[in-house]
Amino acid sequence: MAQLLAVSYEGQKVYRFTISTKEELDALTNLKDHPEFKFDFWSSPKIGNVDVKLSDSALQFVSPLVNNYTVLIPDVEKLIQEQAIPYTPPSSKLQTNHSTSDLTIQNPFFYTYQNSSAIFQFMDGLGAKKDFIGYTFKQQQIFGYYFGTGNKTAIVQGGLHAREWISPAFVVYLAAFLAGSSQAAKSLLAEYTVLLVPLVNIDGYDYTRRADGDRLWRKNMQINNDSTVGIDLNRNYNFKWDTPGGASLDSMNETYRGPYPNAAPETKALSEYLAKVQNKVSYIDIHSYGQAFLYPWGYTCTVSSPDEPDLRSSSFAGAQAIASLYGTFYTVGSSCSNLYQTSGASDDYAYGVLGVKYAMTIELRDEGQYGFLLPPEQIIPVGTETVAALLAVWEYISKDSNLTSKYIPQTPTSTIPPTHTVTQSSGQPLPVQLFWLLFIFAI
Ligand code: 0X9
Ligand code: ZN
């Protein structure tokens, strides 16, 4: 059924601008904070392809400045409506043999994007050990699920960004694979304990699905001090948090870093929880879109991480596994050089503070044809190819005789809010306020 969202994207398109000069880049970047027209950047401004959602009336500001552009998504609102319709497989596809204990292929659960309660209900039914991680801003419970008995811990996390629906869908698909009876799952789980956190930003995800919500919301749902809403959870981690150019300082912005590291309860809860998890060998944060394997560093392009050779090779193993199934092409590289500079992101934190050697972000399908609005019929193919990728990454890790990162983990700096946020609303020092209080009582 068509869903009517309060935020309508009628008349909006996604354009791909191909930026080839610094002048073009500056011109496009300057439009980011246009007072009248909202330029919604689906990918960050850089030399190369930049995807931006805007209305036709706003295009007049860009077209004279940027030579090359194409329309990626001609009707955003139409696609939003279509994406809510569950996939119905052709009957021919239902005839193939498969084990009844296989919970992935042909499971109608994966014909559509599920809501958060359905996601947790499905996860609860898989018989994994469940652990409470912490609360979201709206007091919803974030859970982790443990599969396997191996002595290497592999973490896979989904749903940090609200609008990237394929991310939690994939982590649940992976859970179904791990709970199934395949030999591949069994041998993996003899060597690894896999910790899955299927949906971190539950509040944001719910908001993208609500009738009065916004399908393209990215941040959490925290009310900021200035009454704006949301912190970008992937800019709020406590590692190189205040690197210039790595995140936005503007609370209205999609990539708002928050007032201080771990200001978002979701980031804080995950950071504290993961610090206590033992024998962590890999941390994989699942996002969309762009088809890329990314690894530290994100906060800088000038130094490469000391484990770059292994990070690159393990990522290549993953990318190759994906390509060999359906030919889906993934790029491989450090977050900063392959994508753009970002500070306070989860993978840098896992690598830089938690000391996890194989810290990565995977940007799932697609390359921009549907972007965040990936049709539900792609959930199972994405699930199949990405499970193959992770198996290849973990196989690479199994052969690594030294799982200790070459980087010496940094102790996080304090996350105590800056004093001005706890100053009384009048802005006057406490003794002055006490004076007035006593004065009032006295009269
Ligand atoms: O910008 C992000 O947070 C991620 N891309 S997304 O389009 N899903 O928002 C990429 C994060 C990659 N990791 C680092 N840059 N450290
Ligand atoms: Zn993301």
Side-chain angles (χ1 to χ4, degrees):
M1 207 178 68
Q3 218 184 343
L4 283 177
L5 295 180
V7 179
S8 166
Y9 289 101
E10 233 168 280
Q12 304 243 334
K13 295 182 173 65
V14 176
Y15 293 88
R16 172 160 290 177
F17 297 98
T18 305
I19 307 296
S20 41
T21 64
K22 168 102 176 43
E23 288 67 42
E24 283 184 328
L25 181 61
D26 290 345
L28 190 65
T29 312
N30 286 339
L31 291 170
K32 246 189 144 171
D33 303 311
H34 194 284
E36 197 181 336
F37 295 104
K38 204 176 168 302
F39 287 82
D40 180 13
F41 284 75
W42 281 26
S43 59
S44 259
K46 58 179 183 310
I47 301 280
N49 291 336
V50 183
D51 303 344
V52 189
K53 176 176 70 55
L54 38 97
S55 59
D56 277 341
S57 43
L59 182 67
Q60 54 173 315
F61 293 96
V62 207
S63 48
L65 306 169
V66 180
N67 274 331
N68 270 318
Y69 67 88
T70 51
V71 175
L72 272 185
I73 301 178
D75 189 340
V76 173
E77 184 61 31
K78 187 163 162 259
L79 208 54
I80 289 177
Q81 303 298 339
E82 281 170 9
Q83 206 207 17
I85 304 166
Y87 163 61
T88 326
S91 51
S92 59
K93 281 210 170 174
L94 293 169
Q95 304 307 317
T96 51
N97 297 332
H98 73 286
S99 151
T100 46
S101 56
D102 191 328
L103 301 161
T104 54
I105 302 185
Q106 296 183 12
N107 185 344
F109 185 84
F110 298 109
Y111 292 170
T112 191
Y113 291 104
Q114 304 287 346
N115 64 34
S116 59
S117 343
I119 286 175
F120 287 111
Q121 205 181 350
F122 185 90
M123 292 294 297
D124 289 350
L126 296 176
K129 187 195 140 211
K130 180 182 180 184
D131 214 1
F132 169 69
I133 292 178
Y135 288 101
T136 64
F137 181 78
K138 293 192 166 192
Q139 298 298 307
Q140 302 205 69
Q141 294 181 298
I142 306 169
F143 290 111
Y145 296 83
Y146 286 85
F147 296 81
T149 51
N151 57 11
K152 298 185 184 95
T153 307
I155 302 155
V156 183
Q157 172 183 295
L160 203 61
H161 286 146
R163 63 190 173 188
E164 298 163 14
W165 286 7
I166 189 64
S167 163
F170 167 69
V171 181
V172 180
Y173 186 93
L174 172 62
F177 165 79
L178 296 176
S181 58
S182 71
Q183 194 44 52
K186 280 195 189 124
S187 41
L188 177 84
L189 296 178
E191 190 185 348
Y192 288 88
T193 292
V194 181
L195 164 58
L196 301 185
V197 185
L199 181 56
V200 177
N201 185 4
I202 311 169
D203 299 348
Y205 186 76
D206 288 350
Y207 184 60
T208 62
R209 302 185 56 93
R210 260 175 34 194
D212 59 347
D214 178 353
R215 171 64 187 87
L216 294 170
W217 187 257
R218 167 184 168 100
K219 300 187 280 184
N220 76 349
M221 295 304 291
Q222 184 155 3
I223 316 286
N224 298 313
N225 276 350
D226 58 2
S227 309
T228 57
V229 181
I231 291 176
D232 183 350
L233 298 180
N234 215 23
R235 300 290 182 276
N236 191 237
Y237 280 86
N238 197 8
F239 180 76
K240 305 283 180 189
W241 172 79
D242 55 357
T243 310
S248 177
L249 276 67
D250 171 4
S251 62
M252 301 269 279
N253 198 286
E254 300 260 83
T255 58
Y256 176 48
R257 64 179 189 174
Y260 52 92
N262 279 340
E266 296 86 354
T267 312
K268 186 170 191 282
L270 270 162
S271 302
E272 286 170 0
Y273 181 85
L274 293 182
K276 289 183 250 156
V277 173
Q278 297 297 304
N279 307 320
K280 299 178 281 284
V281 298
S282 70
Y283 168 88
I284 302 178
D285 196 12
I286 305 290
H287 288 251
S288 78
Y289 60 98
Q291 295 177 194
F293 283 81
L294 306 167
Y295 47 77
W297 298 114
Y299 82 93
T300 177
C301 284
T302 48
V303 278
S304 55
S305 95
D307 292 298
E308 161 119 37
D310 276 328
L311 284 165
R312 193 190 320 114
S313 303
S314 55
S315 297
F316 263 123
Q320 254 165 13
I322 290 191
S324 68
L325 263 177
Y326 313 121
T328 316
F329 177 75
Y330 272 64
T331 60
V332 168
S334 88
S335 290
C336 189
S337 57
N338 198 10
L339 205 63
Y340 42 79
Q341 190 200 4
T342 54
S343 53
S346 66
D347 45 8
D348 275 10
Y349 177 81
Y351 185 75
V353 176
L354 299 179
V356 184
K357 177 171 174 180
Y358 290 91
M360 291 175 196
T361 293
I362 303 182
E363 298 282 357
L364 298 177
R365 288 194 201 180
D366 55 13
E367 289 174 303
Q369 188 189 359
Y370 296 102
F372 303 117
L373 304 171
L374 196 73
E377 67 205 71
Q378 294 201 34
I379 299 172
I380 291 176
V382 166
T384 314
E385 67 186 10
T386 316
V387 163
L390 295 194
L391 290 176
V393 170
W394 289 324
E395 197 182 315
Y396 182 95
I397 298 175
S398 298
K399 292 185 195 136
D400 184 350
S401 54
N402 186 5
L403 292 170
T404 310
S405 167
K406 289 195 179 71
Y407 183 77
I408 299 159
Q410 306 284 300
T411 313
T413 48
S414 162
T415 57
I416 296 165
T419 41
H420 68 267
T421 60
V422 286
T423 309
Q424 304 302 304
S425 52
S426 67
Q428 298 191 348
L430 212 55
V432 178
Q433 292 190 351
L434 273 177
F435 169 81
W436 284 113
L437 202 67
L438 289 172
F439 179 75
I440 289 162
F441 273 120
I443 55 173

PDB file of all heavy atoms in Angstrom, residues 119-146:
ATOM      1  N   ILE A 119      12.086  -6.888  12.962  1.00  0.00           N
ATOM      2  CA  ILE A 119      13.512  -7.231  12.903  1.00  0.00           C
ATOM      3  C   ILE A 119      13.939  -7.911  14.203  1.00  0.00           C
ATOM      4  O   ILE A 119      14.543  -8.990  14.205  1.00  0.00           O
ATOM      5  CB  ILE A 119      14.362  -5.960  12.626  1.00  0.00           C
ATOM      6  CG1 ILE A 119      14.202  -5.551  11.157  1.00  0.00           C
ATOM      7  CG2 ILE A 119      15.834  -6.175  12.978  1.00  0.00           C
ATOM      8  CD1 ILE A 119      14.873  -4.249  10.764  1.00  0.00           C
ATOM      9  N   PHE A 120      13.592  -7.293  15.346  1.00  0.00           N
ATOM     10  CA  PHE A 120      14.021  -7.870  16.631  1.00  0.00           C
ATOM     11  C   PHE A 120      13.282  -9.179  16.929  1.00  0.00           C
ATOM     12  O   PHE A 120      13.852 -10.099  17.505  1.00  0.00           O
ATOM     13  CB  PHE A 120      13.862  -6.850  17.764  1.00  0.00           C
ATOM     14  CG  PHE A 120      14.922  -5.771  17.686  1.00  0.00           C
ATOM     15  CD1 PHE A 120      14.595  -4.466  17.366  1.00  0.00           C
ATOM     16  CD2 PHE A 120      16.263  -6.083  17.902  1.00  0.00           C
ATOM     17  CE1 PHE A 120      15.586  -3.481  17.279  1.00  0.00           C
ATOM     18  CE2 PHE A 120      17.265  -5.111  17.805  1.00  0.00           C
ATOM     19  CZ  PHE A 120      16.920  -3.808  17.494  1.00  0.00           C
ATOM     20  N   GLN A 121      12.029  -9.266  16.502  1.00  0.00           N
ATOM     21  CA  GLN A 121      11.270 -10.501  16.705  1.00  0.00           C
ATOM     22  C   GLN A 121      11.914 -11.651  15.937  1.00  0.00           C
ATOM     23  O   GLN A 121      12.075 -12.754  16.445  1.00  0.00           O
ATOM     24  CB  GLN A 121       9.840 -10.271  16.215  1.00  0.00           C
ATOM     25  CG  GLN A 121       8.841 -11.190  16.872  1.00  0.00           C
ATOM     26  CD  GLN A 121       7.442 -10.940  16.320  1.00  0.00           C
ATOM     27  OE1 GLN A 121       7.207  -9.957  15.585  1.00  0.00           O
ATOM     28  NE2 GLN A 121       6.526 -11.816  16.643  1.00  0.00           N
ATOM     29  N   PHE A 122      12.298 -11.365  14.692  1.00  0.00           N
ATOM     30  CA  PHE A 122      12.951 -12.386  13.863  1.00  0.00           C
ATOM     31  C   PHE A 122      14.274 -12.808  14.510  1.00  0.00           C
ATOM     32  O   PHE A 122      14.582 -13.988  14.632  1.00  0.00           O
ATOM     33  CB  PHE A 122      13.194 -11.837  12.458  1.00  0.00           C
ATOM     34  CG  PHE A 122      13.756 -12.848  11.484  1.00  0.00           C
ATOM     35  CD1 PHE A 122      12.910 -13.640  10.715  1.00  0.00           C
ATOM     36  CD2 PHE A 122      15.130 -13.015  11.342  1.00  0.00           C
ATOM     37  CE1 PHE A 122      13.427 -14.580   9.812  1.00  0.00           C
ATOM     38  CE2 PHE A 122      15.653 -13.942  10.453  1.00  0.00           C
ATOM     39  CZ  PHE A 122      14.801 -14.724   9.687  1.00  0.00           C
ATOM     40  N   MET A 123      15.054 -11.824  14.934  1.00  0.00           N
ATOM     41  CA  MET A 123      16.352 -12.115  15.568  1.00  0.00           C
ATOM     42  C   MET A 123      16.140 -12.946  16.833  1.00  0.00           C
ATOM     43  O   MET A 123      16.881 -13.898  17.094  1.00  0.00           O
ATOM     44  CB  MET A 123      17.081 -10.811  15.923  1.00  0.00           C
ATOM     45  CG  MET A 123      17.555  -9.991  14.743  1.00  0.00           C
ATOM     46  SD  MET A 123      18.844 -10.740  13.723  1.00  0.00           S
ATOM     47  CE  MET A 123      20.217 -10.896  14.838  1.00  0.00           C
ATOM     48  N   ASP A 124      15.125 -12.590  17.609  1.00  0.00           N
ATOM     49  CA  ASP A 124      14.846 -13.312  18.861  1.00  0.00           C
ATOM     50  C   ASP A 124      14.528 -14.779  18.609  1.00  0.00           C
ATOM     51  O   ASP A 124      14.753 -15.625  19.467  1.00  0.00           O
ATOM     52  CB  ASP A 124      13.662 -12.666  19.596  1.00  0.00           C
ATOM     53  CG  ASP A 124      14.031 -11.313  20.192  1.00  0.00           C
ATOM     54  OD1 ASP A 124      15.232 -10.975  20.206  1.00  0.00           O
ATOM     55  OD2 ASP A 124      13.108 -10.602  20.641  1.00  0.00           O
ATOM     56  N   GLY A 125      13.993 -15.058  17.424  1.00  0.00           N
ATOM     57  CA  GLY A 125      13.567 -16.423  17.122  1.00  0.00           C
ATOM     58  C   GLY A 125      14.692 -17.331  16.644  1.00  0.00           C
ATOM     59  O   GLY A 125      14.459 -18.504  16.352  1.00  0.00           O
ATOM     60  N   LEU A 126      15.899 -16.807  16.543  1.00  0.00           N
ATOM     61  CA  LEU A 126      16.981 -17.610  15.951  1.00  0.00           C
ATOM     62  C   LEU A 126      17.782 -18.405  16.976  1.00  0.00           C
ATOM     63  O   LEU A 126      18.712 -19.132  16.620  1.00  0.00           O
ATOM     64  CB  LEU A 126      17.929 -16.707  15.137  1.00  0.00           C
ATOM     65  CG  LEU A 126      17.305 -16.022  13.912  1.00  0.00           C
ATOM     66  CD1 LEU A 126      18.304 -15.094  13.242  1.00  0.00           C
ATOM     67  CD2 LEU A 126      16.793 -17.046  12.898  1.00  0.00           C
ATOM     68  N   GLY A 127      17.454 -18.238  18.227  1.00  0.00           N
ATOM     69  CA  GLY A 127      18.116 -19.025  19.274  1.00  0.00           C
ATOM     70  C   GLY A 127      19.510 -18.551  19.636  1.00  0.00           C
ATOM     71  O   GLY A 127      20.276 -19.275  20.278  1.00  0.00           O
ATOM     72  N   ALA A 128      19.849 -17.320  19.263  1.00  0.00           N
ATOM     73  CA  ALA A 128      21.176 -16.791  19.609  1.00  0.00           C
ATOM     74  C   ALA A 128      21.136 -16.209  21.020  1.00  0.00           C
ATOM     75  O   ALA A 128      20.076 -15.847  21.515  1.00  0.00           O
ATOM     76  CB  ALA A 128      21.569 -15.702  18.618  1.00  0.00           C
ATOM     77  N   LYS A 129      22.307 -16.108  21.640  1.00  0.00           N
ATOM     78  CA  LYS A 129      22.395 -15.435  22.939  1.00  0.00           C
ATOM     79  C   LYS A 129      22.212 -13.940  22.699  1.00  0.00           C
ATOM     80  O   LYS A 129      22.871 -13.354  21.836  1.00  0.00           O
ATOM     81  CB  LYS A 129      23.756 -15.719  23.580  1.00  0.00           C
ATOM     82  CG  LYS A 129      23.864 -15.189  24.999  1.00  0.00           C
ATOM     83  CD  LYS A 129      25.306 -15.158  25.479  1.00  0.00           C
ATOM     84  CE  LYS A 129      25.537 -13.886  26.267  1.00  0.00           C
ATOM     85  NZ  LYS A 129      26.874 -13.354  26.195  1.00  0.00           N
ATOM     86  N   LYS A 130      21.299 -13.344  23.465  1.00  0.00           N
ATOM     87  CA  LYS A 130      20.964 -11.932  23.235  1.00  0.00           C
ATOM     88  C   LYS A 130      21.499 -11.088  24.385  1.00  0.00           C
ATOM     89  O   LYS A 130      21.393 -11.474  25.535  1.00  0.00           O
ATOM     90  CB  LYS A 130      19.441 -11.844  23.181  1.00  0.00           C
ATOM     91  CG  LYS A 130      18.861 -10.486  22.943  1.00  0.00           C
ATOM     92  CD  LYS A 130      17.335 -10.600  22.966  1.00  0.00           C
ATOM     93  CE  LYS A 130      16.658  -9.292  22.729  1.00  0.00           C
ATOM     94  NZ  LYS A 130      15.196  -9.414  22.849  1.00  0.00           N
ATOM     95  N   ASP A 131      22.078  -9.948  24.048  1.00  0.00           N
ATOM     96  CA  ASP A 131      22.626  -9.094  25.093  1.00  0.00           C
ATOM     97  C   ASP A 131      22.136  -7.658  24.907  1.00  0.00           C
ATOM     98  O   ASP A 131      22.089  -7.162  23.777  1.00  0.00           O
ATOM     99  CB  ASP A 131      24.166  -9.147  25.006  1.00  0.00           C
ATOM    100  CG  ASP A 131      24.808  -9.043  26.371  1.00  0.00           C
ATOM    101  OD1 ASP A 131      24.068  -8.957  27.371  1.00  0.00           O
ATOM    102  OD2 ASP A 131      26.047  -9.037  26.440  1.00  0.00           O
ATOM    103  N   PHE A 132      21.826  -7.023  26.010  1.00  0.00           N
ATOM    104  CA  PHE A 132      21.373  -5.628  25.981  1.00  0.00           C
ATOM    105  C   PHE A 132      22.596  -4.711  25.880  1.00  0.00           C
ATOM    106  O   PHE A 132      23.528  -4.826  26.666  1.00  0.00           O
ATOM    107  CB  PHE A 132      20.565  -5.330  27.251  1.00  0.00           C
ATOM    108  CG  PHE A 132      20.268  -3.886  27.462  1.00  0.00           C
ATOM    109  CD1 PHE A 132      19.379  -3.215  26.626  1.00  0.00           C
ATOM    110  CD2 PHE A 132      20.871  -3.175  28.496  1.00  0.00           C
ATOM    111  CE1 PHE A 132      19.102  -1.866  26.819  1.00  0.00           C
ATOM    112  CE2 PHE A 132      20.600  -1.830  28.701  1.00  0.00           C
ATOM    113  CZ  PHE A 132      19.711  -1.180  27.859  1.00  0.00           C
ATOM    114  N   ILE A 133      22.584  -3.817  24.911  1.00  0.00           N
ATOM    115  CA  ILE A 133      23.740  -2.934  24.700  1.00  0.00           C
ATOM    116  C   ILE A 133      23.520  -1.555  25.327  1.00  0.00           C
ATOM    117  O   ILE A 133      24.419  -0.992  25.945  1.00  0.00           O
ATOM    118  CB  ILE A 133      24.051  -2.809  23.188  1.00  0.00           C
ATOM    119  CG1 ILE A 133      24.574  -4.168  22.677  1.00  0.00           C
ATOM    120  CG2 ILE A 133      25.062  -1.691  22.905  1.00  0.00           C
ATOM    121  CD1 ILE A 133      24.882  -4.235  21.207  1.00  0.00           C
ATOM    122  N   GLY A 134      22.322  -1.037  25.197  1.00  0.00           N
ATOM    123  CA  GLY A 134      22.047   0.294  25.756  1.00  0.00           C
ATOM    124  C   GLY A 134      20.775   0.848  25.140  1.00  0.00           C
ATOM    125  O   GLY A 134      20.118   0.186  24.336  1.00  0.00           O
ATOM    126  N   TYR A 135      20.462   2.084  25.532  1.00  0.00           N
ATOM    127  CA  TYR A 135      19.229   2.715  25.074  1.00  0.00           C
ATOM    128  C   TYR A 135      19.492   3.761  23.998  1.00  0.00           C
ATOM    129  O   TYR A 135      20.512   4.448  24.027  1.00  0.00           O
ATOM    130  CB  TYR A 135      18.526   3.419  26.242  1.00  0.00           C
ATOM    131  CG  TYR A 135      17.897   2.464  27.228  1.00  0.00           C
ATOM    132  CD1 TYR A 135      18.527   2.167  28.432  1.00  0.00           C
ATOM    133  CD2 TYR A 135      16.677   1.861  26.937  1.00  0.00           C
ATOM    134  CE1 TYR A 135      17.947   1.297  29.340  1.00  0.00           C
ATOM    135  CE2 TYR A 135      16.092   0.987  27.834  1.00  0.00           C
ATOM    136  CZ  TYR A 135      16.730   0.708  29.030  1.00  0.00           C
ATOM    137  OH  TYR A 135      16.155  -0.159  29.910  1.00  0.00           O
ATOM    138  N   THR A 136      18.533   3.884  23.102  1.00  0.00           N
ATOM    139  CA  THR A 136      18.572   4.978  22.129  1.00  0.00           C
ATOM    140  C   THR A 136      18.077   6.247  22.832  1.00  0.00           C
ATOM    141  O   THR A 136      17.615   6.190  23.975  1.00  0.00           O
ATOM    142  CB  THR A 136      17.619   4.707  20.945  1.00  0.00           C
ATOM    143  OG1 THR A 136      16.269   4.683  21.462  1.00  0.00           O
ATOM    144  CG2 THR A 136      17.938   3.399  20.250  1.00  0.00           C
ATOM    145  N   PHE A 137      18.119   7.370  22.115  1.00  0.00           N
ATOM    146  CA  PHE A 137      17.630   8.628  22.695  1.00  0.00           C
ATOM    147  C   PHE A 137      16.183   8.481  23.157  1.00  0.00           C
ATOM    148  O   PHE A 137      15.803   8.991  24.194  1.00  0.00           O
ATOM    149  CB  PHE A 137      17.740   9.759  21.661  1.00  0.00           C
ATOM    150  CG  PHE A 137      17.279  11.078  22.197  1.00  0.00           C
ATOM    151  CD1 PHE A 137      18.086  11.826  23.041  1.00  0.00           C
ATOM    152  CD2 PHE A 137      16.020  11.580  21.864  1.00  0.00           C
ATOM    153  CE1 PHE A 137      17.649  13.040  23.557  1.00  0.00           C
ATOM    154  CE2 PHE A 137      15.581  12.794  22.367  1.00  0.00           C
ATOM    155  CZ  PHE A 137      16.398  13.520  23.214  1.00  0.00           C
ATOM    156  N   LYS A 138      15.384   7.738  22.390  1.00  0.00           N
ATOM    157  CA  LYS A 138      13.969   7.570  22.747  1.00  0.00           C
ATOM    158  C   LYS A 138      13.737   6.347  23.620  1.00  0.00           C
ATOM    159  O   LYS A 138      12.626   5.798  23.639  1.00  0.00           O
ATOM    160  CB  LYS A 138      13.116   7.486  21.474  1.00  0.00           C
ATOM    161  CG  LYS A 138      13.098   8.793  20.704  1.00  0.00           C
ATOM    162  CD  LYS A 138      12.031   8.786  19.639  1.00  0.00           C
ATOM    163  CE  LYS A 138      11.815  10.207  19.150  1.00  0.00           C
ATOM    164  NZ  LYS A 138      10.615  10.318  18.329  1.00  0.00           N
ATOM    165  N   GLN A 139      14.786   5.926  24.305  1.00  0.00           N
ATOM    166  CA  GLN A 139      14.697   4.834  25.283  1.00  0.00           C
ATOM    167  C   GLN A 139      14.311   3.484  24.677  1.00  0.00           C
ATOM    168  O   GLN A 139      13.677   2.656  25.332  1.00  0.00           O
ATOM    169  CB  GLN A 139      13.693   5.193  26.412  1.00  0.00           C
ATOM    170  CG  GLN A 139      14.095   6.421  27.211  1.00  0.00           C
ATOM    171  CD  GLN A 139      15.419   6.244  27.941  1.00  0.00           C
ATOM    172  OE1 GLN A 139      15.598   5.287  28.678  1.00  0.00           O
ATOM    173  NE2 GLN A 139      16.365   7.118  27.688  1.00  0.00           N
ATOM    174  N   GLN A 140      14.685   3.267  23.438  1.00  0.00           N
ATOM    175  CA  GLN A 140      14.475   1.928  22.870  1.00  0.00           C
ATOM    176  C   GLN A 140      15.742   1.117  23.117  1.00  0.00           C
ATOM    177  O   GLN A 140      16.843   1.656  23.184  1.00  0.00           O
ATOM    178  CB  GLN A 140      14.209   2.028  21.371  1.00  0.00           C
ATOM    179  CG  GLN A 140      13.016   2.898  21.039  1.00  0.00           C
ATOM    180  CD  GLN A 140      12.397   2.519  19.706  1.00  0.00           C
ATOM    181  OE1 GLN A 140      11.805   1.453  19.562  1.00  0.00           O
ATOM    182  NE2 GLN A 140      12.529   3.383  18.729  1.00  0.00           N
ATOM    183  N   GLN A 141      15.562  -0.200  23.242  1.00  0.00           N
ATOM    184  CA  GLN A 141      16.701  -1.051  23.606  1.00  0.00           C
ATOM    185  C   GLN A 141      17.474  -1.537  22.379  1.00  0.00           C
ATOM    186  O   GLN A 141      16.894  -2.085  21.446  1.00  0.00           O
ATOM    187  CB  GLN A 141      16.195  -2.253  24.391  1.00  0.00           C
ATOM    188  CG  GLN A 141      15.601  -1.865  25.739  1.00  0.00           C
ATOM    189  CD  GLN A 141      15.127  -3.082  26.492  1.00  0.00           C
ATOM    190  OE1 GLN A 141      14.235  -3.796  26.043  1.00  0.00           O
ATOM    191  NE2 GLN A 141      15.733  -3.331  27.630  1.00  0.00           N
ATOM    192  N   ILE A 142      18.792  -1.320  22.421  1.00  0.00           N
ATOM    193  CA  ILE A 142      19.673  -1.810  21.348  1.00  0.00           C
ATOM    194  C   ILE A 142      20.211  -3.165  21.806  1.00  0.00           C
ATOM    195  O   ILE A 142      20.686  -3.298  22.933  1.00  0.00           O
ATOM    196  CB  ILE A 142      20.855  -0.839  21.098  1.00  0.00           C
ATOM    197  CG1 ILE A 142      20.345   0.587  20.831  1.00  0.00           C
ATOM    198  CG2 ILE A 142      21.731  -1.328  19.942  1.00  0.00           C
ATOM    199  CD1 ILE A 142      21.440   1.653  20.840  1.00  0.00           C
ATOM    200  N   PHE A 143      20.121  -4.164  20.926  1.00  0.00           N
ATOM    201  CA  PHE A 143      20.562  -5.507  21.298  1.00  0.00           C
ATOM    202  C   PHE A 143      21.671  -6.034  20.398  1.00  0.00           C
ATOM    203  O   PHE A 143      21.761  -5.671  19.228  1.00  0.00           O
ATOM    204  CB  PHE A 143      19.379  -6.494  21.219  1.00  0.00           C
ATOM    205  CG  PHE A 143      18.351  -6.284  22.293  1.00  0.00           C
ATOM    206  CD1 PHE A 143      17.091  -5.795  21.971  1.00  0.00           C
ATOM    207  CD2 PHE A 143      18.636  -6.560  23.623  1.00  0.00           C
ATOM    208  CE1 PHE A 143      16.137  -5.590  22.954  1.00  0.00           C
ATOM    209  CE2 PHE A 143      17.689  -6.364  24.622  1.00  0.00           C
ATOM    210  CZ  PHE A 143      16.431  -5.873  24.280  1.00  0.00           C
ATOM    211  N   GLY A 144      22.481  -6.900  20.973  1.00  0.00           N
ATOM    212  CA  GLY A 144      23.459  -7.653  20.213  1.00  0.00           C
ATOM    213  C   GLY A 144      23.124  -9.138  20.329  1.00  0.00           C
ATOM    214  O   GLY A 144      22.550  -9.576  21.325  1.00  0.00           O
ATOM    215  N   TYR A 145      23.463  -9.900  19.293  1.00  0.00           N
ATOM    216  CA  TYR A 145      23.156 -11.342  19.261  1.00  0.00           C
ATOM    217  C   TYR A 145      24.435 -12.114  18.956  1.00  0.00           C
ATOM    218  O   TYR A 145      25.158 -11.768  18.016  1.00  0.00           O
ATOM    219  CB  TYR A 145      22.105 -11.638  18.187  1.00  0.00           C
ATOM    220  CG  TYR A 145      20.764 -10.998  18.463  1.00  0.00           C
ATOM    221  CD1 TYR A 145      20.529  -9.663  18.123  1.00  0.00           C
ATOM    222  CD2 TYR A 145      19.727 -11.715  19.057  1.00  0.00           C
ATOM    223  CE1 TYR A 145      19.300  -9.057  18.371  1.00  0.00           C
ATOM    224  CE2 TYR A 145      18.490 -11.122  19.297  1.00  0.00           C
ATOM    225  CZ  TYR A 145      18.277  -9.799  18.959  1.00  0.00           C
ATOM    226  OH  TYR A 145      17.064  -9.193  19.198  1.00  0.00           O
ATOM    227  N   TYR A 146      24.683 -13.150  19.749  1.00  0.00           N
ATOM    228  CA  TYR A 146      25.914 -13.931  19.598  1.00  0.00           C
ATOM    229  C   TYR A 146      25.634 -15.277  18.924  1.00  0.00           C
ATOM    230  O   TYR A 146      24.775 -16.030  19.362  1.00  0.00           O
ATOM    231  CB  TYR A 146      26.535 -14.207  20.973  1.00  0.00           C
ATOM    232  CG  TYR A 146      27.200 -12.993  21.575  1.00  0.00           C
ATOM    233  CD1 TYR A 146      26.447 -12.070  22.305  1.00  0.00           C
ATOM    234  CD2 TYR A 146      28.555 -12.764  21.416  1.00  0.00           C
ATOM    235  CE1 TYR A 146      27.046 -10.955  22.868  1.00  0.00           C
ATOM    236  CE2 TYR A 146      29.165 -11.648  21.975  1.00  0.00           C
ATOM    237  CZ  TYR A 146      28.403 -10.743  22.702  1.00  0.00           C
ATOM    238  OH  TYR A 146      29.004  -9.641  23.245  1.00  0.00           O
TER     239      TYR A 146
END
